[in-house]
Amino acid sequence: MKDLMGKAIRDYYHQENPQDLQTETSISELDELPVAYLFRDFEEMNEIEQKALELSHGKILDIGAGAGSHSLYLQNERHLDVTALDISPKSIEVCRLRGIKKAVAENMLYFSGETFDTILLLMNGTGIFQSLPVIDIYLKKLYSLLNEGGQILIDSTDILYMFDRDEDGGVYIPAEGYYGELDYIVHYKGESEDPIKWLYLDFNTLKNAAENNGFKIEKLLKDEDAYLARLTK
């Protein structure tokens, strides 16, 4: 992993000629992702993010913390005990520089030793699951990290709207695999990250997977094709 996302975050923080990231998927063209977006404050976040942060309580694990904006709000404004977790070492370096007291560079599958009252997976939190065949591995890991009475707050988007429709309203989707399983590529300053698997889940598919792994699930908020869900034991 070249950690291009982390490089962009670090460049922006240190103001070392930061440039916008470029992203693309197996079903979408190149798109600009302003690095400043990853540093936005609570008022600039969308309704789903704000709702999840408002519902967070107790000891918190922020998975996929990025530049740490969610963790910073919970730590500094809500005065909660937060651990920022991200696979990107450069992103975690910036989290620490921004003042996050607990920041860990680790794959969530290998993170252990603590359990939490709230686990956050935001900005298409289901993406980290990669694909349906391995989703059980991630859900079992999340179950082990969650305290009794705790909650997982996770968001995603049903991307069915991105596929073409016929005159009768039928949708042209891939014959093999689940339509929300995408290849995701990040570009920054002329370099390209190797493609990674990234998973968008419709709510019913997440519900079935969650219930198969011992969770109860409820949809807390819907914003067009995106939603926020809460998983509990």
Side-chain angles (χ1 to χ4, degrees):
M1 184 179 76
K2 298 176 183 176
D3 196 9
L4 297 183
M5 184 76 72
K7 179 173 172 53
I9 287 171
R10 189 176 66 181
D11 286 352
Y12 183 88
Y13 179 80
H14 291 291
Q15 286 303 295
E16 294 179 350
N17 186 32
Q19 297 178 16
D20 289 344
L21 289 151
Q22 293 182 310
T23 64
E24 61 180 314
T25 74
S26 45
I27 63 167
S28 63
E29 297 178 353
L30 211 60
D31 192 21
E32 298 285 336
L33 174 60
V35 186
Y37 180 77
L38 305 176
F39 286 81
R40 66 205 184 285
D41 59 25
F42 181 82
E43 288 71 25
E44 298 172 302
M45 294 177 191
N46 64 42
E47 186 180 6
I48 283 177
E49 291 172 285
Q50 290 180 350
K51 182 70 170 178
L53 295 180
E54 289 167 353
L55 291 172
S56 297
H57 61 78
K59 185 179 176 184
I60 297 167
L61 179 63
D62 179 14
I63 297 177
S69 295
H70 299 139
S71 294
L72 269 179
Y73 173 79
L74 293 170
Q75 175 187 280
N76 295 348
E77 303 300 325
R78 297 281 313 281
H79 307 293
L80 295 169
D81 180 352
V82 187
T83 298
L85 182 70
D86 201 288
I87 199 171
S88 160
K90 294 183 179 70
S91 296
I92 290 300
E93 174 189 325
V94 171
C95 285
R96 292 173 181 146
L97 290 170
R98 296 183 77 192
I100 296 174
K101 297 173 185 176
K102 298 179 181 179
V104 180
E106 182 65 274
N107 185 315
M108 64 158 282
L109 291 178
Y110 308 123
F111 179 75
S112 62
E114 297 184 71
T115 54
F116 300 86
D117 302 303
T118 299
I119 298 176
L120 291 175
L121 295 105
L122 299 178
M123 298 177 67
N124 191 52
T126 65
I128 202 170
F129 299 157
Q130 300 186 63
S131 64
L132 279 183
V134 296
I135 191 172
D136 288 349
I137 296 172
Y138 286 89
L139 289 172
K140 284 181 172 64
K141 180 62 179 182
L142 288 170
Y143 194 96
S144 74
L145 292 171
L146 191 64
N147 287 332
E148 293 296 330
Q151 60 176 351
I152 297 168
L153 299 173
I154 185 169
D155 69 336
S156 194
T157 300
D158 184 351
I159 62 169
L160 194 61
Y161 73 91
M162 296 182 69
F163 293 86
D164 293 331
R165 295 178 180 270
D166 60 27
E167 294 179 355
D168 298 322
V171 182
Y172 296 105
I173 58 175
E176 296 182 2
Y178 173 65
Y179 67 84
E181 296 177 359
L182 306 183
D183 291 326
Y184 184 83
I185 306 170
V186 173
H187 309 276
Y188 184 64
K189 289 186 174 180
E191 291 189 87
S192 298
E193 200 77 75
D194 290 336
I196 62 170
K197 295 294 182 184
W198 196 248
L199 183 62
Y200 290 88
L201 283 177
D202 68 280
F203 178 75
N204 285 335
T205 301
L206 175 60
K207 181 175 184 291
N208 290 336
E211 291 177 346
N212 286 340
N213 284 279
F215 287 109
K216 298 176 183 177
I217 182 171
E218 58 182 318
K219 187 189 295 183
L220 299 176
L221 187 64
K222 190 174 187 299
D223 182 9
E224 296 183 346
D225 296 290
Y227 63 88
L228 174 68
R230 173 160 53 201
L231 280 61
T232 53
K233 288 186 175 181

